[in-house]
Amino acid sequence: MYHLENRMPKTGTTAPLRKNSTKTAATPAAAKNRSKPGGVAAQNSSKPAAPPAAPSGSALEIKDTRTSKTYSIPVAECAIRATELKKIKTDDPNDSGLMSYDPAFLNTASCRSAITYIDGDKGILRYRGYPIEQLAENATFLEVAWLLRHGELPTQQEYDQFVHDITFHTYVHENFRKFLEGFRYDAHPMAMLNSSIAGLASFYPSARNIFDETERNISIIRLLAKTPTIAAFSYRHVKGLPFVYPDNRLSYVENFLSMVARMSESKYDANPVFARALEILFILHADHEQNCSTSAVRGVGSSHVDPFSAVSAGVAALFGPLHGGANEQVLRMIKEIGSVKNVPKFIDSVKSGEGGRLMGFGHRVYKSYDPRAKIVKRLADEVFQVVGVDKDLEIALELERIALADDYFVSRKLYPNVDFYTGLIYRSMAFPTDFFTVLFAIGRMPGWLAQWEEMLLDKEQKISRPRQIYIGLQERPYRSRLTKS
Ligand code: ACO
């Protein structure tokens, strides 16, 4: 663990925002550079992650059998522009041209991004070119947060200033106490986090100036700094415990653990194994390109709303059981199974469709072992060496063993995803089950923010607005079906 006291500039407790602290990367020119395959990030890696360039003039020939006309659609970066299809029309004057139909975006790129690279078949995940394994092993979460946004790892000076800025924006307005106290004792912490993050917009109205670099910077700092505070406050609210204010002497993760768990001690000392494990889990969750919640942030952000509102959409999407909420569902599923001997019966019920899905298994992109799941599994071993193995881990291991050998899962390329083992680690640290997705949200925050800013500075992006194929009724006259006039 790094220690903040040794690294922070000794500037007292005020929070001077370093003007131009993001100058190196947040200018439109730099951002433009970043979004090109040959930009700053790519220059640094030995091999650009961009798809192989098609020879210039590459095109897709399409013959429309309705008209016998042939069209040539340019191919670049393994893609065609869907708007090119609009040119393909019949002679019908009402025909507005061909669309592509892709429910759930199974094969549609919504953006060009230089942030995260995934090869789902090979199980590769890289942030800005750096393999996730190396970042998890060596980096701090805030280093990764900087990397995701700026495209390069921070220098010592940049890092110290960044840590300083984050540390001194961890406090939330006192009205947050009352706001959080308004929730019922059994409120789900994701509902509290979601509305609280949206509520931050009301405290910082100038955040709406999203094309002002200084405003963007301070909003990003605030979201990274205050999310753990709000998360910890929601935990304390549910537990009926007094809120613990941030301790600026502690690192990001230690401070979060202190706000969650500190009781009467004057200074909280986090268990170093837990603190490092949580830091690694935050790093593993930090970004995952155009997943459901990130697409929500980009989509809502494309209306040019403030970043607090845009990111709260990401929190909402993450809450769902098919996305970040899966970590919570894994533990509930394991509880329901109850014992190792019940695992084969449970697997049979999944295969027959009666038992629902095997939560924590399967992924839209990974068709091999999720590289994050491999790291999490190793991490679980380390944590369980401290707290001891429990029967739930044994059930999880048995589920994995049986599923990985079963043709149903093998033929569908269903492997454990990041959520399969994370819940067990969180639980061993004594986090309640419904808090797991909140931990995911803290980790994902830098990714949402980097993606939001990349979207804003991308000249090609516009307000997000998919098309539809209308399958409803044609025009008909209004005739009331009410009996009382
Ligand atoms: N258990 C059992 N069967 C599954 C599972 C599962 N976990 N996941 C997919 N399948 C089956 C489907 O029934 C389908 O079978 P079929 O072809 O016979 O109809 C096939 O595998 C393909 O499934 P899709 O739903 O088309 O896959 P999709 O890419 O849309 O879904 C998802 C991906 C949502 C992650 C899915 O695998 C799932 O529901 N997993 C469980 C929930 C989960 O763990 N979510 C976390 C994902 S990681 C994250 O978001 C951080």
Side-chain angles (χ1 to χ4, degrees):
M1 288 296 296
Y2 63 95
H3 287 283
L4 209 59
E5 297 100 306
N6 304 334
R7 294 206 168 201
M8 267 180 0
K10 308 270 187 253
T11 51
T13 53
T14 53
L17 172 67
R18 183 174 54 148
K19 214 164 172 236
N20 288 335
S21 62
T22 59
K23 200 170 139 206
T24 47
T27 60
K32 217 170 148 198
N33 191 22
R34 274 199 328 242
S35 66
K36 285 183 184 167
V40 178
Q43 281 161 17
N44 237 15
S45 65
S46 49
K47 205 168 137 212
S56 82
S58 294
L60 181 72
E61 294 257 300
I62 298 181
K63 180 165 182 190
D64 187 345
T65 55
R66 298 171 303 173
T67 58
S68 295
K69 285 187 194 155
T70 304
Y71 299 82
S72 177
I73 311 259
V75 173
E77 297 173 313
C78 287
I80 58 161
R81 299 248 164 192
T83 46
E84 288 286 323
L85 299 175
K86 265 176 95 90
K87 295 176 187 162
I88 304 178
K89 321 181 167 188
T90 57
D91 296 333
D92 181 345
N94 294 323
D95 184 350
S96 57
L98 215 59
M99 294 187 286
S100 60
Y101 175 56
D102 188 8
F105 297 107
L106 290 177
N107 194 34
T108 296
S110 63
C111 63
R112 297 173 72 241
S113 178
I115 299 174
T116 289
Y117 174 77
I118 300 176
D119 183 327
D121 292 325
K122 296 196 187 120
I124 293 173
L125 168 61
R126 297 183 200 132
Y127 298 159
R128 300 283 189 183
Y130 294 104
I132 190 66
E133 295 80 5
Q134 292 179 24
L135 293 170
E137 180 81 25
N138 303 302
T140 68
F141 176 61
L142 290 185
E143 220 181 336
V144 169
W146 175 281
L147 170 71
L148 287 171
R149 181 176 178 212
H150 297 279
E152 290 299 334
L153 287 164
T155 62
Q156 187 66 55
Q157 199 194 355
E158 285 168 336
Y159 183 74
D160 291 344
Q161 187 64 55
F162 185 53
V163 171
H164 174 271
D165 291 345
I166 300 276
T167 306
F168 285 88
H169 282 87
T170 47
Y171 274 64
V172 289
H173 193 286
E174 268 301 285
N175 285 3
F176 254 94
R177 295 184 71 91
K178 286 183 230 146
F179 182 57
L180 290 170
E181 277 159 14
F183 285 98
R184 274 170 55 134
Y185 68 93
D186 59 352
H188 196 291
M190 276 301 274
M192 294 165 79
L193 183 72
N194 182 13
S195 36
S196 303
I197 286 188
L200 282 174
S202 69
F203 291 89
Y204 305 107
S206 63
R208 275 177 278 176
N209 300 323
I210 51 174
F211 290 105
D212 177 328
E213 187 186 328
T214 308
E215 283 296 342
R216 254 196 339 268
N217 188 54
I218 186 66
S219 293
I220 287 173
I221 298 278
R222 283 184 173 131
L223 274 161
L224 290 171
K226 294 182 200 306
T227 301
T229 311
I230 294 170
F233 280 14
S234 10
Y235 172 92
R236 305 283 294 200
H237 172 73
V238 172
K239 292 271 173 199
L241 292 166
F243 295 156
V244 175
Y245 284 81
D247 182 344
N248 287 354
R249 294 168 301 176
L250 299 174
S251 75
Y252 191 82
V253 174
E254 288 169 327
N255 178 44
F256 171 62
L257 287 171
S258 160
M259 291 187 288
V260 165
R262 189 166 141 198
M263 297 303 286
S264 58
E265 52 281 46
S266 57
K267 181 177 178 286
Y268 180 80
D269 285 317
N271 178 324
V273 175
F274 287 179
R276 185 59 196 158
L278 202 52
E279 181 130 28
I280 292 173
L281 291 171
F282 285 168
I283 292 171
L284 297 182
H285 284 109
D287 194 50
H288 213 231
E289 51 120 305
Q290 309 314 313
N291 56 83
C292 177
S293 57
T294 301
S295 301
V297 172
R298 278 182 174 257
V300 173
S302 76
S303 74
H304 290 179
V305 73
D306 68 88
F308 303 104
S309 305
V311 163
S312 72
V315 179
L318 195 72
F319 195 2
L322 295 188
H323 191 15
N327 56 16
E328 181 181 336
Q329 298 308 323
V330 171
L331 254 262
R332 298 201 190 285
M333 172 186 78
I334 287 176
K335 276 260 155 301
E336 228 174 277
I337 296 170
S339 134
V340 170
K341 71 174 182 350
N342 298 334
V343 170
K345 204 168 122 212
F346 176 76
I347 293 280
D348 284 345
S349 73
V350 169
K351 285 161 58 181
S352 69
E354 282 161 25
R357 293 197 161 188
L358 175 53
M359 300 310 285
F361 257 68
H363 198 276
R364 171 63 59 78
V365 180
Y366 292 120
K367 299 302 168 196
S368 65
Y369 214 102
D370 181 337
R372 302 167 300 172
K374 273 189 203 156
I375 301 170
V376 172
K377 197 175 171 188
R378 271 202 311 274
L379 201 59
D381 284 344
E382 284 168 31
V383 172
F384 280 106
Q385 269 171 25
V386 178
V387 294
V389 176
D390 69 0
K391 80 170 182 358
D392 288 351
L393 177 66
E394 285 167 5
I395 295 173
L397 290 167
E398 184 66 357
L399 277 169
E400 183 186 347
R401 192 187 66 77
I402 296 186
L404 291 182
D406 190 299
D407 189 53
Y408 175 94
F409 297 91
V410 174
S411 63
R412 289 169 177 79
K413 298 187 176 170
L414 300 171
Y415 292 86
N417 59 49
V418 70
D419 287 326
F420 193 65
Y421 285 107
T422 47
L424 288 165
I425 301 182
Y426 295 146
R427 214 261 321 263
S428 71
M429 294 178 183
F431 284 112
T433 308
D434 63 4
F435 200 67
F436 297 171
T437 316
V438 171
L439 298 166
F440 191 153
I442 298 174
R444 183 53 56 87
M445 190 55 69
W448 286 333
L449 292 166
Q451 298 270 355
W452 167 75
E453 191 174 45
E454 185 180 59
M455 177 272 304
L456 274 187
L457 300 178
D458 180 346
K459 295 261 182 304
E460 273 201 304
Q461 290 292 339
K462 289 170 180 279
I463 187 164
S464 194
R465 207 310 186 179
R467 302 288 305 275
Q468 67 163 11
I469 298 170
Y470 178 69
I471 55 165
L473 297 172
Q474 295 303 322
E475 185 180 350
R476 52 182 174 158
Y478 171 77
R479 278 196 197 100
S480 176
R481 298 175 70 207
L482 305 179
T483 48
K484 288 183 204 154
S485 58

